[in-house]
Amino acid sequence: KLQELVQEKEKKLQENSLHVKSLQDDLQDKKEEFFNQNEELKSSFYKTKQASLEKIFKLQDKIQKLLSNKLSLASSYKKEKQLLKNSYNDEINEIEKQLQIYKQMAYTKEGSFKEFLEENFIEWEREFYPIVDDSLLLRDTEELEPKVVGDRLIGIEFKKDNLKKILSKDEAIKQQEQLKKKIDDVTKAYIQAKIKQNQNFSDEIVKLNDEKTILKNKIAHTKSFIKEEENKIEQQQKLLKEEFEKIKSDIERKIQEILQTKAKLKKEQEDLIKEIKKLTSSIKQNKQQLKLQKQKLLNSIDKSKIKNTLQKEFEVFYKEIDAKIEALKSQKIYLMNTLIGI
């Protein structure tokens, strides 16, 4: 019976070992499952992040192009502004030159030969100017002492188309007025063109700035999206780890309990084996002693007394054996109950 109990404990130990191996395999499977799920989360986030970063890079490239366009626009605006100003100045200078010519035509020095001609001859400019030296007109009448002789200034007719010309004073003044009006018109046109040029430049700058703001907002939104996804992944990883740690802790606790029970069973098995050896040795010794005592009795007393004496000694011996067996049975029942509870 003791040997059967030892075998039962050995069977339980083997079952516990198999249970521990099964739990360890389960734990390894959970580790691999946790690792794979964690890698899937990381891979998913990496793809999302890379796609978002590529989007940000493209948006940043667009911003750089906008900045380049802005610089180009500013440079073009500066050149066009200068061209417009130069064109205006050139036109005004040309008009001023013409105006100066007509001012000179309309100007008459007091006491000059020109004044004498204006006072005494109509359209002297057509008849006399083409053949007269300009410096003569500016000389004083006191020096020249001109006199009117006859109705006409020159008594001959000739072709004057290719000769120099001069306008009358009234015509020169009229031309001055027209040129001054032209200056006003050109100036007004220049101011309007300048205003339009400035407005076009301002509108383009505002448009570029608006596009830049939109792109920056998209970049900020994309960065915020990346951060949200990162927080989401971290939260999922945290929950996944907590779940794994809980499962791991539960499996390790069960393994520890089984190992403790296994150690206890092992010790009890070893105690039983020791007890069996001890009983076996005791029985062997008792048999030797009985054999010796039997021999002594055979030698000293009659057989009936020997039989009675041996019978009594065997009864005492078997009672001791029965008591020990009962104690081991009680211990077996306790252990079996303990195993059932596990």
Side-chain angles (χ1 to χ4, degrees):
K1 289 182 179 179
L2 288 174
Q3 190 63 36
E4 290 176 0
L5 188 59
V6 170
Q7 291 175 354
E8 287 177 5
K9 290 185 182 295
E10 181 63 29
K11 184 179 179 181
K12 280 294 180 183
L13 286 171
Q14 291 177 357
E15 290 175 355
N16 286 345
S17 296
L18 292 174
H19 194 188
V20 169
K21 181 65 170 58
S22 176
L23 290 173
Q24 288 174 337
D25 291 341
D26 289 343
L27 181 59
Q28 184 61 32
D29 291 341
K30 291 296 180 182
K31 283 182 180 179
E32 292 178 0
E33 183 181 350
F34 166 73
F35 177 80
N36 292 334
Q37 289 177 338
N38 193 48
E39 287 300 309
E40 286 178 6
L41 290 174
K42 286 164 65 176
S43 176
S44 174
F45 173 68
Y46 176 77
K47 290 178 181 178
T48 301
K49 185 177 180 179
Q50 285 300 113
S52 298
L53 288 175
E54 287 178 6
K55 183 179 179 181
I56 289 175
F57 293 150
K58 290 180 180 179
L59 291 172
Q60 288 174 337
D61 286 341
K62 288 183 179 180
I63 289 177
Q64 285 301 120
K65 289 180 181 178
L66 287 178
L67 292 175
S68 178
N69 291 341
K70 192 174 181 180
L71 291 174
S72 178
L73 181 65
S75 177
S76 298
Y77 166 72
K78 187 177 180 180
K79 290 178 181 178
E80 290 174 2
K81 185 178 179 181
Q82 190 61 45
L83 287 173
L84 181 64
K85 184 178 180 181
N86 291 341
S87 176
Y88 167 73
N89 289 335
D90 290 344
E91 190 170 2
I92 292 298
N93 289 336
E94 187 62 32
I95 295 172
E96 289 286 354
K97 288 178 181 179
Q98 294 178 18
L99 186 60
Q100 192 62 34
I101 292 172
Y102 290 122
K103 281 183 179 180
Q104 290 294 332
M105 288 182 184
Y107 174 71
T108 302
K109 181 183 177 182
E110 188 178 353
S112 65
F113 181 53
K114 183 181 179 183
E115 183 182 41
F116 170 78
L117 293 173
E118 289 175 351
E119 291 175 352
N120 293 283
F121 298 96
I122 299 173
E123 295 186 348
W124 68 269
E125 296 89 354
R126 299 180 185 275
E127 298 290 332
F128 186 61
Y129 179 76
I131 60 172
V132 72
D133 186 86
D134 289 344
S135 63
L136 185 64
L137 297 175
L138 299 175
R139 295 174 75 172
D140 294 336
T141 54
E142 291 180 357
E143 178 187 356
L144 298 177
E145 296 181 356
K147 293 179 182 180
V148 176
V149 180
D151 295 334
R152 296 186 64 182
L153 183 59
I154 299 178
I156 59 174
E157 292 285 344
F158 56 91
K159 189 176 180 180
K160 307 179 186 72
D161 293 343
N162 295 325
L163 300 178
K164 64 180 182 174
K165 297 177 182 179
I166 190 173
L167 298 178
S168 67
K169 185 174 184 179
D170 291 340
E171 289 175 335
I173 291 173
K174 187 176 181 180
Q175 286 295 325
Q176 288 182 62
E177 290 174 352
Q178 289 178 354
L179 289 174
K180 287 179 180 178
K181 184 178 183 303
K182 187 175 181 180
I183 288 174
D184 289 341
D185 292 341
V186 170
T187 301
K188 288 178 181 178
Y190 168 69
I191 292 172
Q192 289 298 320
K194 189 176 179 180
I195 291 172
K196 184 178 180 180
Q197 189 182 60
N198 291 340
Q199 187 62 49
N200 289 340
F201 175 72
S202 179
D203 290 343
E204 288 296 322
I205 292 297
V206 169
K207 183 180 177 181
L208 290 174
N209 287 336
D210 288 344
E211 290 179 11
K212 181 181 176 182
T213 299
I214 291 172
L215 292 173
K216 281 189 172 182
N217 288 338
K218 286 183 178 180
I219 289 174
H221 176 75
T222 305
K223 287 182 177 179
S224 177
F225 171 75
I226 292 174
K227 188 63 179 175
E228 289 175 2
E229 288 297 307
E230 185 176 15
N231 292 336
K232 190 186 297 183
I233 291 296
E234 287 177 353
Q235 186 63 26
Q236 289 177 337
Q237 287 178 324
K238 181 181 178 182
L239 293 174
L240 191 63
K241 186 176 181 181
E242 288 176 355
E243 182 181 359
F244 170 72
E245 289 296 334
K246 183 178 179 182
I247 294 171
K248 178 185 176 184
S249 177
D250 186 51
I251 291 175
E252 287 179 343
R253 178 183 56 79
K254 289 180 179 179
I255 290 174
Q256 189 62 32
E257 289 177 354
I258 292 172
L259 289 175
Q260 289 175 355
T261 303
K262 184 178 177 181
K264 186 176 180 181
L265 287 171
K266 186 68 176 174
K267 187 177 184 308
E268 290 176 350
Q269 184 188 46
E270 290 172 353
D271 290 342
L272 284 172
I273 291 171
K274 288 178 181 179
E275 188 67 26
I276 290 171
K277 288 180 179 181
K278 186 178 178 181
L279 286 172
T280 302
S281 176
S282 177
I283 291 170
K284 188 176 179 181
Q285 290 176 1
N286 288 333
K287 282 183 177 181
Q288 290 289 341
Q289 289 176 1
L290 287 172
K291 188 176 179 181
L292 292 172
Q293 288 177 359
K294 181 179 179 182
Q295 188 63 39
K296 288 179 181 180
L297 288 171
L298 288 173
N299 294 331
S300 60
I301 58 175
D302 58 25
K303 290 183 178 181
S304 61
K305 289 181 179 181
I306 291 171
K307 185 177 180 180
N308 291 332
T309 301
L310 287 174
Q311 185 68 35
K312 290 179 181 179
E313 289 181 357
F314 272 115
E315 288 177 359
V316 172
F317 173 72
Y318 285 130
K319 285 181 180 179
E320 291 177 356
I321 294 298
D322 289 337
K324 289 181 180 181
I325 289 171
E326 287 300 323
L328 290 173
K329 283 183 179 180
S330 298
Q331 192 173 10
K332 175 184 176 183
I333 291 169
Y334 169 74
L335 290 172
M336 293 299 290
N337 290 334
T338 301
L339 293 172
I340 291 169
I342 294 171

